[in-house]
Amino acid sequence: MVEVAARGRAAGAKCPDCGRFSDRVHDRYERRLKDLPLAEQRFVIRLEIRRFICGPADCPRRTFAEPFSRLAAPYARFTNRLNRALERVGRPAGLRRGTDDLVTQGHDIARSAVQHAACAGRRDGANVACCGTRAARGRPSCRSTACGAR
């Protein structure tokens, strides 16, 4: 497995609520993002994220995390590149075959991750078919924020 440590280079960030720039660091934490394999090795990015303090008293948000929207969505465990690959593999090949192909290529991916990525990548609004068996029993079928089959 290949691990890369990364962090943002910007001096600060804009608050998502009020839009004011802040460079006052409140805390730091680490996110581990899986990415596409590199030379048939699993590839993980250890991303250090800073939490900034939003200073104005009229802003409802006291702290906010440094955004890395070009790399990954907030709270995501996979990079945007890996999500796009999962969408491409999960739809045409079918869930089981697509997941098996990814495992042979060096990915450490659960079948449900491929299922959610393929479901979220649909543009026709037919997300309900994502997790059909649980949905047929009347239970919430999917906990993914990207999936519409809740």
Side-chain angles (χ1 to χ4, degrees):
M1 176 171 43
V2 177
E3 281 195 12
V4 173
R7 65 178 181 210
R9 296 186 310 178
K14 285 185 178 181
C15 174
D17 284 348
C18 69
R20 294 189 186 114
F21 183 82
S22 176
D23 60 355
R24 294 176 50 204
V25 176
H26 172 68
D27 196 9
R28 289 176 169 78
Y29 65 94
E30 185 177 282
R31 280 176 61 190
R32 294 173 54 86
L33 299 169
K34 289 183 182 180
D35 197 10
L36 293 172
L38 176 68
E40 297 180 7
Q41 297 271 332
R42 292 181 186 147
F43 190 78
V44 176
I45 301 169
R46 286 189 358 241
L47 184 61
E48 181 184 281
I49 297 180
R50 297 174 289 181
R51 289 197 64 79
F52 293 103
I53 299 169
C54 190
D58 60 338
C59 182
R61 190 179 295 248
R62 298 183 52 99
T63 64
F64 61 94
E66 181 175 23
F68 287 96
S69 57
R70 290 178 50 198
L71 181 62
Y75 307 106
R77 296 181 189 265
F78 304 143
T79 62
N80 293 336
R81 288 179 349 136
L82 180 55
N83 269 329
R84 284 191 296 274
L86 294 177
E87 288 174 21
R88 286 193 305 269
V89 169
R91 275 182 282 157
L95 183 58
R96 179 164 293 185
R97 184 168 158 238
T99 307
D100 292 344
D101 290 348
L102 287 172
V103 170
T104 59
Q105 294 171 13
H107 292 279
D108 181 24
I109 301 293
R111 192 169 287 143
S112 61
V114 177
Q115 186 176 21
H116 296 311
C119 176
R122 295 189 67 162
R123 304 289 182 244
D124 58 4
N127 291 347
V128 179
C130 168
C131 310
T133 56
R134 288 184 57 132
R137 290 185 227 142
R139 293 189 220 150
S141 55
C142 180
R143 292 189 184 124
S144 171
T145 57
C147 177
R150 289 179 163 248

